[in-house]
Amino acid sequence: TMGSIPSDDDDRKYPKKSKHRRRAASAPGMERLTSAEGTKLMNTAEFEGNYPRNRNQMTGTSCGICSTAIIFSSLRNISISEDDVLRYAHLKLKTLSLSDDLGGDKSLLELENVLTKWKRYGCSLDELNVLLCYGLGLETKSFHAGKSTLADFEDSLTRFSRRWKAGNGRDGKKEKEEMAHILVNIRIDKTGHWGVVAAFNAKEGKVLVLETKNASMHYWCRTERLFQFMNTKNKFGQTRGWIEVFQSS
């Protein structure tokens, strides 16, 4: 369950018997959004991302695609489905493949690999970042928890929870205002999983994560505990982590 950190023998496959039995918020420091405490946390949250909360992933391995669709819907201010995300990425792949100077480009090869394998294996941290960058043309920054700190994650939450200005640049011009959307790659139920950071309650030190396998199971989690779930390894020995997706104002 989500109450413990499992071992590192991850095959990134969807547990056949757990489609709608995920016991989110079953551990200390975690609360379901629909609980009384979860509602209280939402009412006092510092920032709410205003994401669609009714999305369930279409297949057992599409949690990353579903999470991307949620973020992309917010960025474009329209409803975007998993199929829309994949269609857009395939069109981008076709465009890259038709470019004379990009026939053997790394971005083309990496995007093709993700679009070929996601249905069977899902998406790792690096693979979903490829989809976001090369397939959807978004500006991102990815963090492997094993190479990052809790303070780094808290900095990302600050960028998520506030529209911020970095101040004046060296040329005297104001730097662009940005907002960071956050996708988290965690380990629960002995497998990898993706979710969307949907709200942040800084006073209580808790983050709201949208659960894509069951839209009724969104949960609040202590920041340090969520970092623990990310600081786990997949079958390739790589730690999971999070991705910031930047939205320029």
Side-chain angles (χ1 to χ4, degrees), residues 22-248:
R22 182 176 301 280
R23 292 185 291 172
S26 61
M30 304 177 72
E31 298 288 345
R32 292 184 185 177
L33 175 60
T34 54
S35 69
E37 180 62 21
T39 301
K40 180 181 178 181
L41 287 166
M42 179 59 77
N43 291 337
T44 57
E46 183 173 330
F47 183 80
E48 179 184 353
N50 194 29
Y51 301 111
R53 299 184 197 167
N54 59 345
R55 300 290 186 89
N56 287 317
Q57 61 193 73
M58 294 177 61
T59 72
T61 57
S62 68
C63 54
I65 308 297
C66 182
S67 297
T68 297
I70 291 171
I71 292 290
F72 210 30
S73 295
S74 178
L75 286 167
R76 296 294 181 261
N77 200 29
I78 58 175
S79 179
I80 294 175
S81 67
E82 291 180 41
D83 286 338
D84 293 331
V85 168
L86 294 168
R87 189 179 302 112
Y88 193 99
H90 277 288
L91 286 173
K92 185 65 174 181
L93 179 64
K94 184 176 181 180
T95 300
L96 289 173
S97 64
L98 292 175
S99 299
D100 294 336
D101 58 339
L102 289 175
D105 189 80
K106 182 180 179 181
S107 61
L108 170 63
L109 298 176
E110 290 185 347
L111 180 58
E112 184 176 31
N113 180 64
V114 171
L115 292 175
T116 300
K117 296 182 177 180
W118 76 266
K119 188 171 289 187
R120 182 176 180 182
Y121 299 108
C123 293
S124 67
L125 179 71
D126 293 334
E127 288 166 345
L128 195 66
N129 196 46
V130 165
L131 177 66
L132 291 162
C133 292
Y134 300 149
L136 303 179
L138 300 174
E139 180 185 354
T140 70
K141 185 175 182 180
S142 63
F143 300 81
H144 284 273
K147 299 179 180 179
S148 307
T149 65
L150 176 59
D152 292 327
F153 184 49
E154 290 171 338
D155 287 344
S156 293
L157 290 173
T158 297
R159 286 188 284 275
F160 164 76
S161 62
R162 295 188 182 95
R163 287 189 176 276
W164 57 279
K165 291 184 178 179
N168 293 329
R170 293 183 180 179
D171 58 359
K173 295 181 180 179
K174 284 193 173 182
E175 297 178 6
K176 64 181 180 180
E177 186 179 56
E178 292 181 317
M179 175 180 174
H181 304 262
I182 301 176
L183 297 165
V184 290
N185 185 211
I186 58 180
R187 181 178 175 84
I188 49 178
D189 286 352
K190 298 184 179 181
T191 189
H193 191 54
W194 282 97
V196 177
V197 171
F200 181 47
N201 191 311
K203 182 178 179 181
E204 299 297 331
K206 290 190 176 183
V207 177
L208 176 65
V209 179
L210 298 186
E211 170 56 65
T212 59
K213 286 185 179 179
N214 188 334
S216 67
M217 300 289 283
H218 306 323
Y219 58 92
W220 286 95
C221 183
R222 288 198 179 280
T223 305
E224 60 271 21
R225 193 169 191 81
L226 187 57
F227 185 81
Q228 285 182 323
F229 288 137
M230 293 187 288
N231 196 17
T232 54
K233 295 180 180 179
N234 62 22
K235 66 181 295 185
F236 304 109
Q238 301 168 330
T239 52
R240 299 178 176 84
W242 70 99
I243 301 174
E244 289 187 56
V245 182
F246 294 99
Q247 175 181 327
S248 299

